[in-house]
Amino acid sequence: GFFQSYAVEVDIKDAFNATCLYADWMMRFLITYESNNGDYKTTTLNLSSSVTHNGSVCGNDTQAALVAVQFGEGHSWSINITKTNETYQGDFITLTYNTNDTAVFPDAKRKGPVTVLVKDPLHPVQLNTVFVCHNSYFIEAENITQIFWNVTVQAFVQNGTVSKKESRCPADTPTSAPTVPPTIANVTTAFTTTLSPVPTTAPKPVENPDTGNYSLKSGNKTCFLATVGLQLNVSQDKPLLININPKTTVADGACGNTTATLKLNDRNSTLIGF
């Protein structure tokens, strides 16, 4: 499945109308919930086109900075950022999702807001340095996977100007280009460009995909087990074959009383569900 999400930009000003906290990023959430018939389903919560940032604050030497956004039908996300003498670092991330949003949770058994708190796993960043992460990274807790990409953040901005000095996440390399979540259109365009011009010699046959072992647990018991090699065949002018690499693919999902769902994420936001 390919999902639509929107970028968020938050530019918080201090009392002198100077930027004190800047953040620009994209994110989405995979949430497993219990349905009315007792099954567990995994849904995708995306940012809407209209996002507010009420409650965001600059922070100072004694108070944490806070990036807080609200979106959709009663959903919100925030991260508080603490400061030392030389660095700043995300502390806790709070996600509140509202299962009364029937477009996202059409048959949720539990109704109303649900709040999940998770520790930010990223390392500290030097003051007067902007944190940048183009490639996707994931934070998993309880029944939720949070996915972030194209991230630019600087807390405790000095002199009202976002720094040009960057601290990159481990997923990036110095030559990384911004990651664009795949759609049918841009996947086709990207690979058409890669494959042109057509080689004069016969193309090398695509090897069979490596076999991966994917499993889910319910408590301490394995409830879903799949041993399989996976290959995507994209129909276009010239068929495009893509092997799913088990070394970079993460299994997610849930087992219910009568159904089980296995979702495979190749860490580039391509999801395959069984």
Side-chain angles (χ1 to χ4, degrees), residues 64-121:
L66 179 69
V67 179
V69 295
Q70 304 82 37
F71 60 97
E73 300 295 325
H75 313 296
S76 62
W77 180 93
S78 67
I79 180 172
N80 66 315
I81 305 172
T82 56
K83 175 185 178 184
T84 67
N85 292 332
E86 299 179 353
T87 64
Y88 64 91
Q89 181 178 18
D91 192 4
F92 286 100
I93 295 174
T94 304
L95 169 66
T96 297
Y97 59 93
N98 184 12
T99 58
N100 287 325
D101 184 351
T102 55
V104 182
F105 307 95
D107 54 352
K109 182 177 181 179
R110 176 181 179 180
K111 298 297 184 181
V114 180
T115 298
V116 176
L117 191 68
V118 61
K119 180 75 174 177
D120 184 3

Coordinates of all heavy atoms in Angstrom, one line a residue, residues 64-121:
A64 N 12.2 22.6 29.4 CA 12.3 21.9 28.1 C 11.6 22.6 27.0 O 10.5 23.2 27.2 CB 11.8 20.4 28.2
A65 N 12.1 22.5 25.8 CA 11.4 23.0 24.6 C 10.3 21.9 24.3 O 10.4 20.7 24.6 CB 12.3 23.2 23.4
L66 N 9.3 22.3 23.6 CA 8.2 21.4 23.2 C 7.7 21.7 21.8 O 7.4 22.8 21.5 CB 7.0 21.6 24.2 CG 5.8 20.6 23.9 CD1 6.2 19.2 24.2 CD2 4.6 21.1 24.8
V67 N 7.7 20.7 21.0 CA 7.1 20.7 19.7 C 5.8 19.9 19.8 O 5.8 18.7 20.1 CB 7.9 20.1 18.5 CG1 7.2 20.2 17.2 CG2 9.3 20.9 18.5
A68 N 4.6 20.6 19.6 CA 3.3 19.9 19.7 C 2.5 20.2 18.5 O 2.4 21.4 18.1 CB 2.6 20.4 21.0
V69 N 1.9 19.2 17.9 CA 1.1 19.4 16.7 C -0.2 18.6 16.9 O -0.3 17.6 17.6 CB 1.8 18.9 15.4 CG1 3.0 19.7 15.1 CG2 2.1 17.4 15.5
Q70 N -1.3 19.2 16.3 CA -2.6 18.6 16.4 C -3.1 18.4 14.9 O -2.9 19.3 14.1 CB -3.6 19.4 17.2 CG -3.1 19.7 18.6 CD -2.1 20.9 18.7 OE1 -2.2 21.9 18.0 NE2 -1.1 20.8 19.6
F71 N -3.8 17.3 14.7 CA -4.2 17.0 13.3 C -5.4 16.1 13.2 O -5.6 15.3 14.2 CB -3.0 16.5 12.4 CG -2.5 15.2 13.0 CD1 -2.9 14.0 12.4 CD2 -1.6 15.1 14.0 CE1 -2.4 12.8 12.9 CE2 -1.0 13.9 14.5 CZ -1.5 12.7 13.9
G72 N -6.1 16.1 12.1 CA -7.2 15.2 11.9 C -8.3 15.3 12.9 O -8.5 16.4 13.5
E73 N -8.9 14.2 13.2 CA -10.1 14.1 14.1 C -9.6 13.8 15.5 O -9.8 12.7 16.1 CB -11.1 13.1 13.6 CG -11.7 13.3 12.3 CD -12.5 14.6 12.2 OE1 -13.2 14.9 13.2 OE2 -12.5 15.3 11.2
G74 N -8.9 14.8 16.2 CA -8.6 14.6 17.6 C -7.3 13.9 17.8 O -7.1 13.3 18.9
H75 N -6.4 13.9 16.8 CA -5.1 13.3 17.0 C -4.0 14.3 17.3 O -4.1 15.5 16.9 CB -4.6 12.5 15.7 CG -5.7 11.7 15.2 ND1 -6.2 10.6 15.8 CD2 -6.4 11.7 14.0 CE1 -7.1 10.0 15.1 NE2 -7.3 10.7 14.0
S76 N -3.0 14.0 18.1 CA -1.9 14.9 18.4 C -0.6 14.2 18.6 O -0.6 13.0 18.9 CB -2.3 15.7 19.7 OG -2.4 14.9 20.8
W77 N 0.5 14.9 18.5 CA 1.8 14.3 18.6 C 2.7 15.4 19.2 O 2.6 16.6 18.8 CB 2.4 13.9 17.3 CG 3.8 13.3 17.3 CD1 4.1 12.0 17.5 CD2 5.0 14.0 17.2 NE1 5.5 11.8 17.4 CE2 6.0 13.0 17.3 CE3 5.3 15.3 17.0 CZ2 7.4 13.4 17.2 CZ3 6.7 15.7 16.9 CH2 7.7 14.7 17.0
S78 N 3.6 15.1 20.1 CA 4.5 16.1 20.7 C 5.9 15.4 21.1 O 5.9 14.2 21.3 CB 3.9 16.8 21.9 OG 3.7 15.8 22.9
I79 N 6.9 16.2 21.1 CA 8.2 15.8 21.7 C 8.7 16.9 22.5 O 8.7 18.1 22.1 CB 9.2 15.4 20.5 CG1 10.5 15.0 21.1 CG2 9.3 16.6 19.5 CD1 11.5 14.4 20.1
N80 N 9.2 16.6 23.7 CA 9.9 17.6 24.5 C 11.4 17.4 24.4 O 11.9 16.3 24.3 CB 9.4 17.6 26.0 CG 9.8 16.3 26.7 OD1 9.7 15.2 26.1 ND2 10.3 16.4 27.9
I81 N 12.1 18.5 24.3 CA 13.5 18.5 24.0 C 14.3 19.2 25.2 O 13.9 20.4 25.5 CB 13.8 19.2 22.7 CG1 13.0 18.6 21.6 CG2 15.3 19.2 22.3 CD1 13.0 19.4 20.3
T82 N 15.2 18.6 25.8 CA 16.0 19.1 26.9 C 17.3 19.6 26.5 O 17.9 19.2 25.4 CB 16.1 18.1 28.0 OG1 16.7 16.9 27.5 CG2 14.7 17.7 28.6
K83 N 17.9 20.5 27.3 CA 19.2 21.1 26.9 C 20.2 20.9 28.1 O 19.8 21.0 29.2 CB 18.9 22.6 26.7 CG 20.1 23.5 26.5 CD 19.7 25.0 26.4 CE 20.9 25.9 26.3 NZ 20.5 27.3 26.3
T84 N 21.4 20.7 27.6 CA 22.5 20.7 28.6 C 23.4 21.9 28.2 O 23.0 22.8 27.4 CB 23.4 19.4 28.5 OG1 24.0 19.4 27.2 CG2 22.5 18.2 28.7
N85 N 24.6 22.0 28.8 CA 25.5 23.1 28.5 C 25.9 23.1 27.1 O 26.2 24.2 26.5 CB 26.7 23.1 29.4 CG 26.3 23.4 30.9 OD1 25.4 24.1 31.1 ND2 27.1 22.8 31.8
E86 N 26.0 21.9 26.4 CA 26.6 21.8 25.1 C 25.7 21.1 24.1 O 25.9 21.2 22.9 CB 27.9 21.0 25.2 CG 29.0 21.7 26.1 CD 30.2 20.8 26.1 OE1 30.2 19.7 25.5 OE2 31.2 21.3 26.7
T87 N 24.6 20.5 24.5 CA 23.8 19.7 23.6 C 22.3 19.9 23.9 O 21.9 20.4 24.9 CB 24.1 18.2 23.7 OG1 23.8 17.7 25.0 CG2 25.6 17.9 23.4
Y88 N 21.5 19.4 22.9 CA 20.1 19.3 23.1 C 19.7 17.9 22.6 O 20.3 17.3 21.8 CB 19.3 20.4 22.4 CG 19.3 20.4 20.9 CD1 18.4 19.7 20.2 CD2 20.3 21.1 20.3 CE1 18.5 19.7 18.8 CE2 20.3 21.2 18.9 CZ 19.4 20.5 18.1 OH 19.5 20.5 16.8
Q89 N 18.6 17.4 23.2 CA 18.2 16.0 22.9 C 16.7 15.8 23.1 O 16.1 16.3 24.1 CB 19.0 15.0 23.8 CG 18.6 13.5 23.5 CD 19.4 12.6 24.3 OE1 20.0 13.0 25.3 NE2 19.5 11.3 23.9
G90 N 16.0 15.1 22.2 CA 14.7 14.7 22.4 C 14.5 13.8 23.7 O 15.4 13.0 23.9
D91 N 13.5 14.1 24.5 CA 13.3 13.3 25.7 C 12.2 12.3 25.5 O 12.5 11.1 25.3 CB 13.0 14.3 26.8 CG 13.1 13.6 28.2 OD1 13.4 12.4 28.2 OD2 12.8 14.3 29.2
F92 N 10.9 12.7 25.6 CA 9.8 11.8 25.4 C 8.9 12.2 24.2 O 8.7 13.4 24.0 CB 9.0 11.8 26.7 CG 9.6 11.0 27.8 CD1 10.3 11.6 28.8 CD2 9.6 9.6 27.8 CE1 10.9 10.9 29.8 CE2 10.2 8.8 28.8 CZ 10.8 9.5 29.8
I93 N 8.5 11.3 23.5 CA 7.5 11.5 22.4 C 6.2 11.0 22.9 O 6.0 9.9 23.4 CB 8.0 10.7 21.1 CG1 9.3 11.3 20.6 CG2 6.9 10.8 20.1 CD1 9.9 10.5 19.5
T94 N 5.1 11.8 22.7 CA 3.8 11.5 23.1 C 2.9 11.5 21.9 O 2.8 12.5 21.2 CB 3.3 12.5 24.2 OG1 4.1 12.5 25.3 CG2 1.9 12.0 24.6
L95 N 2.2 10.4 21.6 CA 1.2 10.3 20.5 C -0.1 10.0 21.2 O -0.3 9.1 21.9 CB 1.6 9.2 19.6 CG 0.5 8.8 18.5 CD1 0.2 10.0 17.6 CD2 0.8 7.6 17.8
T96 N -1.1 10.8 20.8 CA -2.5 10.5 21.2 C -3.3 10.4 19.9 O -3.4 11.3 19.1 CB -3.1 11.7 22.0 OG1 -2.3 11.8 23.3 CG2 -4.6 11.4 22.4
Y97 N -3.9 9.2 19.8 CA -4.8 9.0 18.6 C -6.2 8.7 19.1 O -6.4 8.2 20.2 CB -4.3 7.8 17.7 CG -4.2 6.5 18.4 CD1 -5.2 5.5 18.4 CD2 -3.0 6.1 19.1 CE1 -5.1 4.3 19.0 CE2 -2.9 4.9 19.7 CZ -3.9 4.0 19.7 OH -3.8 2.8 20.3
N98 N -7.2 9.1 18.3 CA -8.6 9.1 18.7 C -9.3 8.0 17.9 O -9.5 8.2 16.7 CB -9.2 10.4 18.5 CG -10.6 10.5 18.9 OD1 -11.1 9.6 19.6 ND2 -11.3 11.5 18.5
T99 N -9.7 6.9 18.5 CA -10.4 5.8 17.8 C -11.8 6.2 17.4 O -12.5 5.4 16.7 CB -10.4 4.5 18.6 OG1 -11.0 4.8 19.9 CG2 -8.9 4.1 18.9
N100 N -12.3 7.4 17.8 CA -13.6 7.8 17.3 C -13.5 8.3 15.9 O -14.5 8.6 15.2 CB -14.1 9.0 18.2 CG -14.6 8.5 19.5 OD1 -15.1 7.4 19.7 ND2 -14.4 9.3 20.6
D101 N -12.3 8.4 15.3 CA -12.1 8.8 13.9 C -12.4 7.5 13.1 O -11.5 6.7 12.9 CB -10.6 9.2 13.7 CG -10.4 9.7 12.3 OD1 -11.3 9.5 11.4 OD2 -9.3 10.3 12.1
T102 N -13.6 7.4 12.6 CA -14.0 6.2 11.9 C -13.4 6.0 10.6 O -13.4 4.9 10.0 CB -15.6 6.2 11.7 OG1 -16.0 7.4 11.1 CG2 -16.3 6.2 13.1
A103 N -12.8 7.1 10.0 CA -12.1 6.9 8.7 C -10.8 6.1 8.9 O -10.4 5.4 8.0 CB -11.8 8.3 8.1
V104 N -10.2 6.2 10.1 CA -9.0 5.5 10.4 C -9.3 4.2 11.1 O -8.6 3.2 10.9 CB -8.0 6.4 11.1 CG1 -6.7 5.7 11.4 CG2 -7.7 7.7 10.4
F105 N -10.2 4.3 12.1 CA -10.6 3.2 12.9 C -12.0 2.9 12.8 O -12.9 3.2 13.6 CB -10.3 3.5 14.4 CG -8.9 4.0 14.7 CD1 -8.6 5.3 14.7 CD2 -7.8 3.1 14.9 CE1 -7.3 5.8 15.0 CE2 -6.5 3.5 15.1 CZ -6.3 4.9 15.2
P106 N -12.4 2.3 11.6 CA -13.9 2.1 11.3 C -14.6 1.2 12.3 O -15.8 1.4 12.4 CB -13.8 1.6 9.9 CG -12.5 0.9 9.8 CD -11.6 1.7 10.6
D107 N -13.9 0.3 12.9 CA -14.7 -0.7 13.7 C -13.9 -0.9 15.1 O -13.9 -2.1 15.6 CB -14.8 -2.0 13.0 CG -13.5 -2.5 12.5 OD1 -12.5 -1.8 12.6 OD2 -13.5 -3.7 12.0
A108 N -13.3 0.1 15.6 CA -12.6 0.0 16.9 C -13.5 -0.4 18.0 O -14.5 0.2 18.2 CB -11.8 1.3 17.2
K109 N -13.1 -1.3 18.8 CA -13.8 -1.7 20.0 C -13.7 -0.7 21.1 O -14.7 -0.4 21.7 CB -13.3 -3.1 20.5 CG -14.1 -3.6 21.7 CD -13.6 -5.0 22.1 CE -14.3 -5.6 23.3 NZ -13.8 -6.9 23.6
R110 N -12.5 -0.2 21.3 CA -12.3 0.9 22.3 C -12.5 2.2 21.6 O -11.9 2.5 20.6 CB -10.9 0.8 22.9 CG -10.5 1.9 23.9 CD -9.1 1.7 24.4 NE -8.7 2.7 25.3 CZ -7.5 2.8 25.9 NH1 -6.6 1.9 25.7 NH2 -7.3 3.8 26.7
K111 N -13.3 3.1 22.2 CA -13.6 4.4 21.7 C -12.9 5.5 22.5 O -12.9 5.4 23.7 CB -15.1 4.6 21.6 CG -15.9 3.6 20.7 CD -15.4 3.8 19.3 CE -16.3 2.8 18.4 NZ -15.9 2.9 17.0
G112 N -12.5 6.5 21.8 CA -11.9 7.7 22.5 C -10.4 7.8 22.3 O -9.8 7.0 21.6
P113 N -9.8 8.8 22.9 CA -8.4 9.0 22.8 C -7.5 8.0 23.5 O -7.9 7.5 24.6 CB -8.2 10.4 23.4 CG -9.3 10.6 24.4 CD -10.5 9.8 23.8
V114 N -6.4 7.6 22.9 CA -5.4 6.6 23.5 C -4.1 7.3 23.4 O -3.7 7.8 22.3 CB -5.4 5.3 22.7 CG1 -4.4 4.4 23.3 CG2 -6.8 4.7 22.7
T115 N -3.4 7.4 24.5 CA -2.1 8.0 24.6 C -1.0 7.0 24.8 O -1.1 6.2 25.7 CB -2.1 9.1 25.7 OG1 -3.1 10.1 25.4 CG2 -0.7 9.8 25.8
V116 N 0.1 7.2 24.0 CA 1.3 6.3 24.1 C 2.5 7.2 24.3 O 2.7 8.2 23.5 CB 1.4 5.4 22.8 CG1 2.7 4.6 22.9 CG2 0.2 4.5 22.7
L117 N 3.3 6.8 25.3 CA 4.6 7.6 25.6 C 5.8 6.7 25.2 O 5.8 5.6 25.6 CB 4.6 8.0 27.0 CG 5.6 9.0 27.5 CD1 5.3 10.4 26.9 CD2 5.6 9.1 29.0
V118 N 6.8 7.3 24.6 CA 8.0 6.5 24.2 C 9.2 7.4 24.3 O 9.1 8.6 24.1 CB 7.8 5.9 22.8 CG1 7.7 7.0 21.7 CG2 9.0 5.1 22.4
K119 N 10.3 6.8 24.7 CA 11.6 7.6 24.8 C 12.2 7.8 23.5 O 12.2 6.9 22.6 CB 12.5 6.7 25.7 CG 13.9 7.4 25.9 CD 13.8 8.5 26.9 CE 15.2 9.1 27.2 NZ 15.1 10.2 28.1
D120 N 12.6 9.0 23.2 CA 13.3 9.3 21.9 C 14.7 8.6 21.9 O 15.5 8.8 22.8 CB 13.5 10.8 21.8 CG 14.1 11.2 20.4 OD1 14.3 10.3 19.6 OD2 14.3 12.4 20.2
P121 N 14.9 7.7 20.9 CA 16.2 6.9 20.9 C 17.4 7.7 20.3 O 18.5 7.1 20.3 CB 15.8 5.7 20.1 CG 14.8 6.2 19.1 CD 14.0 7.3 19.8

